[in-house]
Amino acid sequence: MNLQAVTGQLYIIDGVPQEDTAVPGILAQPAPSKVARGRERDTLFIHLTLTGPLNETANLSRNLVSTISQQFYQSSGSVTSALRRAIKETNQKLLTMNLSGANPSREGAISCAVLHNDELYVVQTGESLALVGHNFGVERLPPRSPDRITPLGRSAGLDFRYFHLRLLAGDMLLLADPRIAYLPSHALAPALVDTELVLGLSELKEIIGSDSTRLLLVEFSDEAEASFPVAAPVRPQRSQPNVKPVAAASVALKTAVSPQQANQLPLPAPQTYEEVYESGVDVGYSTRKAAAGSVLGLSRFTGWLADLLQSLNPPQAEDEDEPMHWFWPVLMAIFIPILVAVVVSGVYVQRGKVFRQAEIRQEMLTSLAEANEAVGDPEAQRQAYNKLLTLAEEADQLRPDDSNVIEMRQDALQALDRLDDVTRLSARPFHSFNENIGLTAVALREGLSGGIYTLDGANDQVYAHTTDESYVNSAALEPELIVQSGETVSNHIVGDIIDIMWRPSGLNVARDGLAILDHLNENGALVTYYPNFADTGAAPLGLSSEWDTPTAITQFSERLYVLDTGSATIWKYFPDGDGFNVDTEERFLDLGPEADLAKAVDIDLYSEDGSLIVAYGDGRLRYYDTRSGRIQWDEQSLLQNGLSTPLLQPAAAKLVGRGLNASVFVLDAGNGRIIQISRGGTVLAQYRAVDSSQRDAFTNGTDIAVAETPLRIFVTVGNTLYVATQE
């Protein structure tokens, strides 16, 4: 529902309304002709208060309000982030002026509100005040005086307060001077509840009495503009695109009506309102909507039951003497109470979900405010943003695709990116399989032909994805199944498929192919798929009867290495044509017991010197010089060389490139990121990406494959293969 805003401005000095005078410190402005993307339907309302005499602050206020308006409509992204940037810019401008000493120091309070369709976003800082009148009461923003208030223009760090409300036609918004904050919500209810703009302005004049104030009153309606009368003398009007921003200023705070007198004002019947709706969210509206829908459905169903009963037992003629059939009436008498109980229970369950969703959104706003307050403390900010993301996951379970949750999640992710120096990638599903598929590995075909291979570890199947040479464009609608469990290849029966990798041709290997590690009943083999002729072969691997839990494979100088976490060993095989031999003197790669390979999840060897990267599921990372068996660097070294937060559940590690361009890519599945590290142990970059639902695309990933220049990262997550590229 798209609501329209009808505005009225009230300017009173010592009880005397100021006629034909532009109200200082107030702005009501629809989107101008040229705005940033996403701002086209936003209507902006501002109430700015500055300390000092009105005649001295008018020009300054006019400039500050203009700054807010321009900055907001030129900023893309969410409404709250655009408002926050606009207020920060204005605060910096006022703070610079105060520090210069050229003019008297000014401090202030501001309430900014934005109407977007039927939603109202409010951001406040300083001692600001706003009230929203609903058909069920008055909502005060903030509900109570904040514990900490930092005025505008005093410090670079501001205390932001965020509110989001769902509006209905007839709701009212009042942006007011903090001078009337002593008035209780019920005292202002006659001007905000079940009334119209003109009557509301008249009520406000009566309530203010001999005090001084500047007010912006907004009525939200879904009616046509022509249906609203023009009021005198305050001249309420609907904002038009050519309306220029009204300058803002303030006067010193003073009270003409005592709090005792305010409390003696008549209460609106039949109840006090501020206790009804205090949380700052649209709980009442959503709950009433859920209950009304359930009751309406119940009434329709009971009407259908009445018709059914009448058809089953039609009226009898007076001369008819037939026995009455009690089966259906008795059945319905039993069924209807059960149905009513189910519907009523459903209403309460829905109501509970609505309230919890509202609580979560308010907690998310609180976390966002806490992060903004913790300027200069990156760890505190990171904790607040991570808490917000956790709450967002819970909110998704209650109500998927909530636009407000998505916006706040975006704000948190962007803030974490800045804190952690993260590069954001653009991710999209390259291919999604059926739900019973569980992808565990991915490999790229080297050369100019393109091609991607994925392993469905849940069902022991390997697929080939035909692509162009860039890898990112599929050349076939569906991938091709090339190897699966139970298939016979060169007298070997494929069993449990463990891992895959691309194995180029060399001195001993005749053709390029996809190497597939297989293990069944103590019989291990390397099955190879050759794409040039689409044929397969299998080479048995000696000592496989000693394997316990083979986990991953890698290669160096045509040798094959098998990570066996069950026996905490890396088995070593030497090439012999298309097969392999075992050297009894070098059966495995000896790293010593401190390597703790039982907890390793992936390994890879550098193609030029055989140095080894080992990733552990508990967050450890080791880079070995295999010639000496020494650790060159580990996860603790990374924390001192650019890594902002420790690794959490690494899933894969790959050595990519050669020479000076060689680097290690680590999939940190627990933190939803990919880290690029130099071979010397310096963090080069951290990458994150979100999917179309704004969820981390790398979280819970199982494997990665990387193509460089330009950077393309392929990640397997569940039943989906993602491709992430730089925008």
Side-chain angles (χ1 to χ4, degrees):
M1 177 174 59
N2 293 326
L3 295 179
Q4 302 179 30
V6 185
T7 63
Q9 302 171 351
L10 187 61
Y11 182 24
I12 300 176
I13 298 179
D14 296 329
V16 180
Q18 304 300 298
E19 310 292 344
D20 300 322
T21 302
V23 182
I26 290 177
L27 169 70
Q29 182 185 20
S33 56
K34 294 183 179 180
V35 296
R37 183 178 180 182
R39 302 276 83 84
E40 300 87 352
R41 295 179 295 173
D42 293 344
T43 302
L44 176 65
F45 309 102
I46 301 176
H47 190 293
L48 173 68
T49 301
L50 293 178
T51 57
L54 179 62
N55 58 349
E56 296 180 7
T57 58
N59 289 334
L60 173 61
S61 299
R62 183 177 296 109
N63 292 333
L64 294 179
V65 170
S66 177
T67 298
I68 294 174
S69 174
Q70 293 175 7
Q71 183 69 25
F72 172 75
Y73 283 115
Q74 291 173 4
S75 299
S76 58
S78 68
V79 172
T80 52
S81 63
L83 285 175
R84 189 169 61 249
R85 286 193 293 269
I87 295 175
K88 283 185 176 180
E89 180 71 21
T90 304
N91 179 67
Q92 186 61 41
K93 192 173 183 178
L94 182 59
L95 181 61
T96 301
M97 187 207 74
N98 289 340
L99 294 175
S100 68
N103 297 295
S105 179
R106 307 293 185 194
E107 294 180 352
I110 189 168
S111 288
C112 292
V114 173
L115 173 64
H116 182 83
N117 297 332
D118 62 344
E119 298 175 280
L120 185 70
Y121 298 86
V122 181
V123 178
Q124 296 176 326
T125 190
E127 194 177 356
S128 51
L129 175 65
L131 299 103
V132 180
H134 305 278
N135 62 350
F136 52 84
V138 174
E139 180 178 358
R140 197 179 186 96
L141 308 177
R144 58 186 64 84
S145 179
D147 296 332
R148 176 182 175 185
I149 298 178
T150 303
L152 196 73
R154 176 182 293 182
S155 168
L158 294 175
D159 301 314
F160 288 104
R161 300 186 296 275
Y162 303 90
F163 305 94
H164 170 260
L165 302 93
R166 185 80 63 175
L167 298 173
L168 294 175
D171 288 350
M172 307 281 282
L173 168 68
L174 177 64
L175 300 182
D177 280 324
R179 72 178 65 250
I180 69 169
Y182 67 89
L183 289 170
S185 299
H186 66 74
L188 295 166
L192 299 175
V193 179
D194 292 331
T195 186
E196 297 179 353
L197 183 74
V198 177
L199 297 177
L201 289 168
S202 179
E203 290 284 354
L204 285 171
K205 286 196 293 182
E206 295 294 330
I207 296 171
I208 298 303
S210 60
D211 202 352
S212 298
T213 189
R214 298 163 303 111
L215 306 174
L216 174 62
L217 185 63
V218 185
E219 179 182 356
F220 301 104
S221 174
D222 56 359
E223 298 181 18
E225 178 181 358
S227 65
F228 293 97
V230 178
V234 291
R235 298 175 289 105
Q237 59 184 7
R238 185 181 304 278
S239 301
Q240 298 293 339
N242 59 356
V243 173
K244 296 182 179 179
V246 180
S250 75
V251 291
L253 304 181
K254 69 183 213 176
T255 302
V257 181
S258 67
Q260 292 78 8
Q261 291 173 320
N263 290 329
Q264 295 174 0
L265 292 173
L267 297 178
Q271 59 180 334
T272 300
Y273 297 97
E274 59 185 311
E275 291 82 10
V276 177
Y277 198 87
E278 188 177 349
S279 62
V281 290
D282 52 334
V283 180
Y285 165 71
S286 299
T287 305
R288 293 196 314 276
K289 182 178 179 181
S294 299
V295 172
L296 180 59
L298 177 59
S299 67
R300 290 173 177 169
F301 187 78
T302 53
W304 173 81
L305 284 177
D307 293 339
L308 176 61
L309 287 173
Q310 185 175 5
S311 64
L312 292 172
N313 192 20
Q316 302 291 328
E318 294 183 358
D319 57 349
E320 293 182 359
D321 187 14
E322 293 185 3
M324 188 172 185
H325 298 286
W326 289 99
F327 175 76
W328 287 106
V330 171
L331 180 62
M332 294 306 165
I334 297 173
F335 178 69
I336 290 176
I338 296 175
L339 176 65
V340 171
V342 171
V343 172
V344 172
S345 299
V347 170
Y348 278 97
V349 170
Q350 181 65 22
R351 183 184 183 188
K353 289 183 178 180
V354 169
F355 270 97
R356 181 54 189 152
Q357 181 80 0
E359 289 175 354
I360 292 173
R361 285 163 54 183
Q362 189 63 33
E363 291 173 15
M364 292 174 68
L365 288 171
T366 301
S367 297
L368 200 59
E370 291 174 353
N372 290 326
E373 292 174 0
V375 175
D377 188 350
E379 187 58 34
Q381 287 186 306
R382 188 176 291 109
Q383 290 179 1
Y385 288 127
N386 286 328
K387 179 181 177 182
L388 186 151
L389 295 177
T390 301
L391 290 167
E393 291 298 323
E394 183 181 352
D396 286 340
Q397 300 298 321
L398 296 174
R399 183 183 174 188
D401 301 325
D402 186 312
S403 60
N404 302 296
V405 173
I406 290 175
E407 286 184 1
M408 284 187 280
R409 181 191 283 114
Q410 287 178 326
D411 289 344
L413 290 174
Q414 291 172 2
L416 287 172
D417 288 350
R418 291 190 295 270
L419 288 173
D420 298 337
D421 193 22
V422 167
T423 300
R424 183 65 60 171
L425 302 180
S426 176
R428 65 174 175 84
F430 183 87
H431 185 81
S432 293
F433 291 86
N434 296 330
E435 293 184 356
N436 64 331
I437 299 293
L439 300 179
T440 56
V442 57
L444 302 180
R445 177 182 179 180
E446 297 178 2
L448 301 178
S449 300
I452 307 171
Y453 300 92
T454 53
L455 167 61
D456 169 20
N459 301 285
D460 297 306
Q461 300 177 132
V462 180
Y463 291 89
H465 305 256
T466 305
T467 72
D468 61 10
E469 62 184 19
S470 72
Y471 296 109
V472 298
N473 299 311
S474 179
L477 295 177
E478 294 293 333
E480 177 187 359
L481 177 62
I482 56 175
V483 175
Q484 61 182 325
S485 179
E487 180 180 347
T488 301
V489 179
S490 302
N491 296 323
H492 172 77
I493 300 176
V494 178
D496 299 328
I497 301 179
I498 309 302
D499 197 11
I500 60 174
M501 69 176 183
W502 182 256
R503 190 168 185 237
S505 60
L507 296 177
N508 292 279
V509 182
R511 291 187 290 169
D512 297 339
L514 179 73
I516 304 168
L517 180 63
D518 175 65
H519 185 229
L520 177 65
N521 298 329
E522 299 185 348
N523 293 318
L526 191 73
V527 177
T528 304
Y529 170 77
Y530 302 103
N532 57 347
F533 292 110
D535 59 324
T536 55
L541 297 175
L543 303 179
S544 58
S545 60
E546 300 182 27
W547 293 359
D548 190 318
T549 311
T551 303
I553 56 171
T554 188
Q555 60 185 339
F556 167 66
S557 187
E558 299 188 49
R559 302 169 191 164
L560 180 68
Y561 295 81
V562 178
L563 170 64
D564 181 3
T565 57
S567 61
T569 303
I570 299 178
W571 300 100
K572 187 175 181 180
Y573 296 90
F574 293 87
D576 182 15
D578 289 333
F580 298 92
N581 286 327
V582 177
D583 188 334
T584 56
E585 300 296 328
E586 295 186 63
R587 300 172 58 195
F588 52 84
L589 190 61
D590 187 9
L591 300 176
E594 64 276 6
D596 194 17
L597 294 175
K599 297 180 181 179
V601 293
D602 198 16
I603 60 172
D604 200 11
L605 288 158
Y606 182 44
S607 60
E608 295 188 1
D609 63 7
S611 52
L612 172 72
I613 184 73
V614 182
Y616 298 81
D618 57 8
R620 288 178 292 165
L621 196 67
R622 302 283 191 272
Y623 193 74
Y624 287 91
D625 180 349
T626 53
R627 291 169 294 188
S628 63
R630 295 179 179 178
I631 299 175
Q632 294 181 290
W633 50 263
D634 60 13
E635 72 283 353
Q636 297 300 324
S637 305
L638 298 180
L639 291 172
Q640 301 173 5
N641 290 282
L643 186 63
S644 56
T645 55
L647 296 169
L648 177 63
Q649 194 183 338
K654 307 295 179 184
L655 275 155
V656 179
R658 294 173 179 269
L660 297 177
N661 295 325
S663 56
V664 180
F665 285 81
V666 178
L667 171 60
D668 185 5
N671 285 316
R673 61 180 174 175
I674 293 174
I675 305 170
Q676 184 178 6
I677 310 165
S678 72
R679 291 183 57 243
T682 300
V683 175
L684 302 176
Q686 298 183 75
Y687 302 103
R688 291 186 186 273
V690 293
D691 58 18
S692 57
S693 299
Q694 301 303 311
R695 296 181 178 86
D696 283 327
F698 300 154
T699 300
N700 299 324
T702 54
D703 196 22
I704 58 172
V706 180
E708 294 187 298
T709 317
L711 180 65
R712 291 143 291 165
I713 300 178
F714 297 86
V715 186
T716 52
V717 184
N719 66 337
T720 302
L721 171 65
Y722 285 94
V723 55
T725 58
Q726 290 180 305
E727 298 180 349

